Amino acid sequence: MKESMELDKSVEHRGRLTAVLALATLISAFGSSFQYGYNVAAVNSPAPFMQQFYNKTYTDRYKEPMGQDLLTLLWSLTVSMYPLGGFFGSLMVAPLVNKLGRKGTLLFNNIFSIVPAIMMGVSEIAKSYEIIIVARVIVGICAGLSSNVVPMYLGELAPKNLRGAIGIVPQLFITIGILAAQVMGIRNILGNSTGWTIMLGLTGIPAVIELVLLPFFPESPRYMLIQKRDEKNSRKALQRLRGWDDVDAEMEEMCLEDQSEQAEGRLSVFSLLSQRSLRWQLVSIIIMNMGQQLSGVNAIYYYADSIYGSAGVNEMDVQYVTVGTGAVNVFMTIAAVFIVESSGRRLLLLLGFGICCGACVLLTVALNFQESVSWMPYISIACVIIYVIGHAIGPSGRDFRWGGTSGGAGGHVVKRGCARGGA
């Protein structure tokens, strides 16, 4: 009888998507993850006009045109500074989430979006391409932080049964951000000689919205309970998120989790590498991350117009093919969520990587025969789109389908413990 009552209670308190949880998810994903995707593709369509600005600025300064080698170098820096900033942003995650909290870090991170948005927006007036390059580093820091902190924050807000569904939202907003940048980059909208600075500066708008709205939503209950030892506010946050007052079971579960972590101790990087029992898990994680990051998908979004131009697409049609590719990416990201439930995670990863590999091989062949075979450009376009589909159902969705981040921060040791009897 007692077991039946406990089961009924468990079913009754099964997590649901409350308005507070839904809005916190959408605001944090739009304010942070959306920007990540937007800035990946933002420099693709306006590239010719930005390079004209670089050349003109150099000519006005030094009274001679910029050499092609120097222009290529400066443009390569403009593109590559974004992932470099992401690298530095990732290193900042652990100290910031421990010091400021998950929500606090997202609010602080908006500095790294608003400031570079202003810098890029006024670069043409200031007649400085150096401002754009520096701004790309800073907005890269924003991307590096948000790509780690948003999944962590949402994973700690969501109840267990909704973590998978909530976990897709950041990745979905990244793909929507890419698509938004591609749409904005159409020549008749902002991808032209007068609109490219506005297009680059728009990245600050989601940050401002998040900065205004996110303070009204709760901090991670797990962070407040375990790291801040603030049981009172942690309980209030959980009650707001769950929509009911009885959150004792979830509070106790977080405490038990903390006690288990303390009993097992915190692993250093060296001890993690030396433990044979964890070796295969570690190798699997490294290979999956390497496969995702070294797959080359970012090159498609950074240089999509150039790739399609090389594949023989008409110059005026390239922008629409690029937008179509972004739309396919969004659609397949959503579809992958439903496919994984029936196909399983491992199969989908292998299938995704296999499709990417096959598409790259076929694209290489198609590009080699492009001049001699009239219909080969269409094969090249199909290969790029198929590659994007493969990446969307496999490597791209790795983060949300292989379990969200629900606690901890990097490998930094923090003072933890569940408070007893209030804060």
Side-chain angles (χ1 to χ4, degrees), residues 94 96-108 149-150 152-154 156 214 219-220 222-223 227 406-409 416:
L96 284 177
V97 295
N98 288 333
K99 181 72 175 178
L100 303 177
R102 284 55 164 155
K103 185 182 83 170
T105 300
L106 290 177
L107 293 173
F108 175 75
V149 180
V150 174
M152 183 185 298
Y153 177 58
L154 297 184
E156 295 181 3
L214 195 60
E219 174 59 275
S220 160
R222 188 183 191 280
Y223 168 78
Q227 292 182 230
S406 61
R416 293 171 175 251

Side-chain angles (χ1 to χ4, degrees), residues 321-360:
V321 177
T322 300
V323 170
T325 305
V328 168
N329 191 23
V330 173
F331 174 77
M332 290 308 302
T333 300
I334 298 172
V337 178
F338 302 99
I339 297 171
V340 73
E341 296 301 328
S342 58
S343 301
R345 294 161 171 79
R346 183 172 176 271
L347 177 61
L348 213 57
L349 271 171
L350 291 172
L351 181 63
F353 278 120
I355 291 173
C356 289
C357 182
C360 286

Side-chain angles (χ1 to χ4, degrees), residues 12 29 90 97 113 126 133 193 196 203 205 237 298 303 309 312 351 356 410:
E12 180 186 349
S90 296
V97 295
S113 176
I133 296 172
S193 58
W196 65 267
T203 187
I205 293 179
N298 285 337
Y303 302 106
L351 181 63
C356 289

Side-chain angles (χ1 to χ4, degrees), residues 155-319:
E156 295 181 3
L157 292 189
K160 276 185 176 181
N161 61 301
L162 292 180
R163 280 178 192 165
I166 296 293
I168 75 167
V169 177
Q171 178 64 28
L172 180 59
F173 269 81
I174 289 172
T175 60
I176 292 173
I178 292 172
L179 178 59
Q182 291 168 339
V183 171
M184 291 295 181
I186 292 175
R187 295 289 183 265
N188 294 332
I189 302 179
L190 293 176
N192 50 57
S193 58
T194 58
W196 65 267
T197 51
I198 298 173
M199 179 177 171
L200 296 182
L202 286 177
T203 187
I205 293 179
V208 171
I209 293 173
E210 182 179 50
L211 196 61
V212 172
L213 297 180
L214 195 60
F216 296 100
F217 293 89
E219 174 59 275
S220 160
R222 188 183 191 280
Y223 168 78
M224 288 191 290
L225 179 67
I226 295 177
Q227 292 182 230
K228 301 299 289 184
R229 302 191 179 193
D230 187 350
E231 184 175 345
K232 181 179 179 181
N233 284 323
S234 176
R235 184 179 296 275
K236 285 182 179 178
L238 263 182
Q239 289 169 342
R240 284 187 65 196
L241 289 165
R242 301 296 176 261
W244 53 63
D245 293 333
D246 184 10
V247 293
D248 290 341
E250 199 166 350
M251 294 284 288
E252 185 62 29
E253 184 179 355
M254 286 190 287
C255 283
L256 290 173
E257 183 183 344
D258 174 54
Q259 291 166 12
S260 176
E261 286 183 3
Q262 287 183 342
E264 293 176 3
R266 307 285 288 182
L267 287 175
S268 66
V269 174
F270 178 77
S271 60
L272 180 64
L273 294 172
S274 61
Q275 286 203 19
R276 296 178 66 89
S277 60
L278 298 175
R279 190 160 299 168
W280 277 113
Q281 293 94 318
L282 185 62
V283 169
S284 299
I285 291 170
I286 291 172
I287 290 176
M288 281 191 295
N289 278 279
M290 286 179 61
Q292 184 193 45
Q293 297 301 322
L294 301 178
S295 63
V297 70
N298 285 337
I300 289 179
Y301 297 118
Y302 289 141
Y303 302 106
D305 286 12
S306 300
I307 292 171
Y308 285 127
S310 300
V313 180
N314 183 281
E315 184 178 350
M316 293 307 297
D317 296 334
V318 163
Q319 54 190 334

